[in-house]
Amino acid sequence: MTKINEILTLNLHEDIKNVIDLEDQSEVEIQYEIESYIITEGISDHLSEFINKYTSNIKETGVWISGFYGSGKSYFGKMLGYLLDNPNINGTHARDRFLPRLKGVPNESFIEQDIRS
């Protein structure tokens, strides 16, 4: 019988941070955060909506991220920041590290294309 840990590409033995440090700027930590980010169908919908509005002709200058305590608002916001700034992290740009996280979500190719543009 197949076990869940055989299906997932995550290391279930790694410690999961329960708080996202918005000021941590070490390349090793940023790389870990991006490569550990799990994109669900709901997150992919929000990401797609953000990208569509960000790349439109809209004039507003802010984004409101709301949700329950512990729902991942800070982590999502941090990922958006990495995608917008696209820093080079240990020789690879943030967007290139992020794109594999889209694997398996609906409209994966559309979201990837939007991020690349």
Side-chain angles (χ1 to χ4, degrees), residues 76-91:
F76 181 71
K78 200 168 185 182
M79 291 302 111
L80 291 178
Y82 292 143
L83 290 173
L84 292 172
D85 191 35
N86 199 28
N88 190 314
I89 303 157
N90 292 323

Side-chain angles (χ1 to χ4, degrees), residues 7-20:
I7 297 171
L8 297 175
T9 59
L10 303 171
N11 182 351
L12 299 177
H13 300 290
E14 284 185 17
D15 186 34
I16 298 172
K17 290 171 53 172
N18 58 356
V19 175
I20 296 300

Side-chain angles (χ1 to χ4, degrees), residues 19-114:
V19 175
I20 296 300
D21 185 354
L22 296 177
E23 295 182 14
D24 194 342
Q25 296 298 311
S26 72
E27 287 189 27
V28 171
E29 188 64 28
I30 292 170
Q31 179 178 345
Y32 175 77
E33 286 178 343
I34 293 172
E35 293 177 355
S36 299
Y37 193 62
I38 297 172
I39 301 179
T40 63
E41 186 174 337
I43 290 173
S44 71
D45 291 342
H46 293 303
L47 180 60
S48 183
E49 181 181 356
F50 172 81
I51 293 168
N52 288 332
K53 290 203 181 200
Y54 184 81
T55 57
S56 72
N57 292 329
I58 200 162
K59 299 292 184 214
E60 281 102 17
T61 59
V63 173
W64 184 269
I65 300 174
S66 65
F68 294 107
Y69 176 81
S71 63
K73 300 175 300 291
S74 297
Y75 206 170
F76 181 71
K78 200 168 185 182
M79 291 302 111
L80 291 178
Y82 292 143
L83 290 173
L84 292 172
D85 191 35
N86 199 28
N88 190 314
I89 303 157
N90 292 323
T92 305
H93 285 96
R95 291 178 193 155
D96 293 326
R97 291 192 181 279
F98 184 85
L99 291 174
R101 310 307 306 154
L102 295 170
K103 185 173 176 78
V105 299
N107 298 323
E108 172 186 349
S109 58
F110 292 118
I111 298 171
E112 180 178 344
Q113 180 180 347
D114 288 342

